[in-house]
Amino acid sequence: MNKPLALVVDDEPDICELLALTLGRMDVDTEVAANVGAAKEKIAAHRFDLCLTDMRLPDGDGLQLVEWMQRHAPGVPVAVITAHGNVETAVQALKLGAFDFISKPLDLKNLRNIIESALKLQARQEEKGSRLLGDSPAMRRLRDMVEKVARSQAPVHISGESGTGKELVARLIHDSGPRRDGPFVPVNCGAIPTELMESEFFGHRKGSFTGAVSDKTGLIQAANEGTLFLDEIADLPLPMQVKLLRVIQEQTVRPVGASAEENVNVRILSATHRNLGAMVASGNFREDLYYRINVIELKVPALRERDNDILLLASHILRRLGASTTSLSAGAENKLVGYHFPGNVRELENMLERAVTLCTDDTISESDLALQPGSTAEPEVSGKVAGGLGDQLEDVQRQAILEALETTRYNKTAAAKLLGLTFRQLRYRIKKLGID
């Protein structure tokens, strides 16, 4: 995994060196900017996990940077370094959105605590993911509901189309509630073979069946004191639905081959893109289990219900892809806003990830978006044909990059120039295409 990256904004070399040394000992990489203008350029070019900025800078002050970051890099925690005893400035920084403040002279223990807290906050914000960003009424309602249900222990059923981010909602409920220090165990109910389902859920004892060479802990026991997330719960066969109902009612499980039951303390969250109410009516899902898991229902909105969020999400996704300097042309923006997105946010992510590799400069055009494999943006092209086209394009790109690298004796800067790419774009494509 990549190390966290911090931005230090200060025009005093000694302070920068001290902060960089402290961050380095905490296994955090550092970029340095001497003024507000340089800091903005760095933020546009990199994905930072935190920012430490001095209050007084040659071309402005730290408060201006804090205010600017709330609009352009809202997910990055920022702490302001203030003069000793300047409480008024510290309070103002917090009101503008700063995570914390550090007074001079720097206290290293306090500094390390602030850095650790900032990294934890950033990690939690990142975990929420791009699917929970947005200012549309539907997303505001969803976030309000998540905050409310997180405080309770009642089972929650999360409904919504594929690709809307149901698992991220479940993780946010877990992370925001009293069980956040316990395990979060996601289970894709449709991915477990029927004959192995009981063993996977409840565990088994050595020798209980052919192939049981040792004791195994089940998924339910693994979630003890935490949260069990049952994704695509509609795919559970009826016999397993009966056993799951008993677990929820009794809070006990019996491993396969065991003579006694074990107590468990788990909160059940579930999700599916299918209509459980209709499945109950048709006899394909037990009514008693339905009412047990559906004590509270959360509906995750489809992307087409959040038109105003699409460009905000696109900007966030590009930053996460390391392509923060890449922008969308007016035609590309219009195409995204006018598209139906049957695959929801997951489709938007895939579309932009591929567009970053296809665009020949730092601007994604409408045609770059039209070449998505499996996209229904062009209805006359089947998913199979479009997928094949995507594979062919990747092969062509891979061959062109290899030839350019060989021609320039593996000088990436020269190869990028030969291909008409920026160095960053070439590096991204080398990684994306798996070129060694």
Side-chain angles (χ1 to χ4, degrees):
M1 293 180 65
N2 294 330
K3 292 180 182 179
L5 181 62
L7 174 63
V8 173
V9 188
D10 203 307
D11 61 339
E12 295 184 40
D14 291 346
I15 295 291
C16 290
E17 185 177 359
L18 175 62
L19 292 173
L21 282 171
T22 303
L23 287 159
R25 287 172 183 157
M26 299 177 72
D27 209 28
V28 179
D29 287 337
T30 305
E31 288 279 336
V32 175
N35 53 56
V36 174
K40 291 178 179 179
E41 291 179 3
K42 294 274 187 182
I43 291 168
H46 300 280
R47 181 167 165 257
F48 290 102
D49 296 282
L50 73 149
C51 174
L52 304 172
T53 180
D54 192 23
M55 183 60 212
R56 294 186 176 181
L57 296 166
D59 59 343
D61 60 47
L63 295 182
Q64 292 174 334
L65 183 60
V66 170
E67 195 169 12
W68 182 86
M69 287 180 67
Q70 302 316 300
R71 298 192 301 272
H72 297 89
V76 181
V78 53
V80 175
I81 302 170
T82 65
H84 177 67
N86 196 338
V87 178
E88 184 180 342
T89 301
V91 171
Q92 190 178 356
L94 296 174
K95 285 182 177 179
L96 288 173
F99 166 70
D100 212 329
F101 65 92
I102 311 164
S103 297
K104 292 180 180 178
L106 300 180
D107 179 288
L108 292 184
K109 182 178 179 181
N110 183 41
L111 175 62
R112 283 192 290 267
N113 288 339
I114 287 173
I115 292 169
E116 287 176 356
S117 298
L119 290 174
K120 287 178 182 176
L121 175 65
Q122 205 280 339
R124 182 165 292 183
Q125 288 173 336
E126 196 63 32
E127 187 67 32
K128 295 176 185 178
S130 62
R131 295 178 182 88
L132 291 186
L133 287 178
D135 197 42
S136 61
M139 288 306 292
R140 288 201 297 269
R141 285 194 297 270
L142 177 61
R143 285 194 294 267
D144 288 344
M145 282 297 295
V146 165
E147 186 177 347
K148 291 175 183 177
V149 302
R151 295 192 290 264
S152 79
Q153 295 303 300
V156 177
H157 181 65
I158 305 164
S159 62
E161 297 176 7
S162 295
T164 50
K166 295 186 290 295
E167 181 173 342
L168 285 174
V169 172
R171 285 183 181 274
L172 182 56
I173 293 171
H174 171 80
D175 288 344
S176 303
R179 293 178 178 264
R180 59 176 163 268
D181 294 326
F184 176 87
V185 179
V187 181
N188 186 337
C189 298
I192 302 175
T194 303
E195 64 274 14
L196 298 178
M197 196 162 278
E198 190 171 353
S199 170
E200 289 293 316
F201 272 92
F202 305 133
H204 61 247
R205 293 288 178 260
K206 179 181 178 180
S208 57
F209 56 86
T210 302
V213 296
S214 62
D215 289 353
K216 177 182 177 180
T217 300
L219 293 165
I220 295 174
Q221 294 97 313
N224 195 36
E225 303 297 331
T227 302
L228 181 69
F229 174 54
L230 301 173
D231 197 9
E232 295 305 337
I233 193 171
D235 292 337
L236 282 180
L238 286 169
M240 193 63 197
Q241 292 179 28
V242 176
K243 293 174 180 177
L244 177 61
L245 176 63
R246 190 173 187 280
V247 171
I248 296 172
Q249 290 175 331
E250 305 296 332
Q251 290 283 290
T252 59
V253 297
R254 178 180 292 178
V256 177
S259 57
E261 294 188 329
E262 301 174 359
N263 292 325
V264 288
N265 176 15
V266 297
R267 184 182 190 184
I268 302 291
L269 304 179
S270 62
T272 184
H273 69 281
R274 299 165 70 180
N275 186 330
L276 278 188
M279 292 184 67
V280 169
S282 65
N284 292 314
F285 199 87
R286 291 185 62 95
E287 185 176 23
D288 45 8
L289 178 60
Y290 172 72
Y291 287 115
R292 276 287 183 175
I293 64 170
N294 199 33
V295 175
I296 302 172
E297 182 175 7
L298 289 184
K299 184 179 184 303
V300 184
L303 188 53
R304 62 181 171 276
E305 299 170 20
R306 321 167 40 190
D307 286 351
N308 295 338
D309 294 339
I310 291 174
L311 296 183
L312 173 66
L313 286 166
S315 177
H316 176 83
I317 292 166
L318 289 174
R319 280 180 55 83
R320 201 182 66 218
L321 291 172
S324 55
T325 59
T326 301
S327 60
L328 294 161
S329 70
E333 288 186 349
N334 290 335
K335 186 176 185 66
L336 290 180
V337 172
Y339 181 46
H340 189 64
F341 282 107
N344 291 295
V345 181
R346 186 182 299 136
E347 183 179 6
L348 175 61
E349 290 175 332
N350 294 339
M351 186 180 287
L352 291 174
E353 185 174 6
R354 184 157 181 80
V356 167
T357 69
L358 291 176
C359 67
T360 54
D361 52 30
D362 279 343
T363 303
I364 294 173
S365 68
E366 184 176 353
S367 61
D368 295 326
L369 295 172
L371 291 172
Q372 306 315 306
S375 168
T376 54
E378 306 295 334
E380 69 274 15
V381 181
S382 71
K384 184 176 180 180
V385 172
L389 177 59
D391 293 339
Q392 292 176 38
L393 286 168
E394 288 194 353
D395 289 342
V396 171
Q397 288 187 60
R398 187 179 291 107
Q399 186 60 35
I401 291 172
L402 287 171
E403 289 177 0
L405 287 169
E406 290 172 0
T407 300
T408 60
R409 297 185 179 181
Y410 293 90
N411 183 319
K412 292 180 184 176
T413 302
K417 187 175 181 181
L418 185 65
L419 290 164
L421 303 173
T422 65
F423 179 79
R424 179 193 61 77
Q425 287 172 328
L426 177 61
R427 184 175 59 186
Y428 180 85
R429 294 188 193 197
I430 286 174
K431 181 180 178 182
K432 179 67 180 174
L433 296 170
I435 297 173
D436 186 359

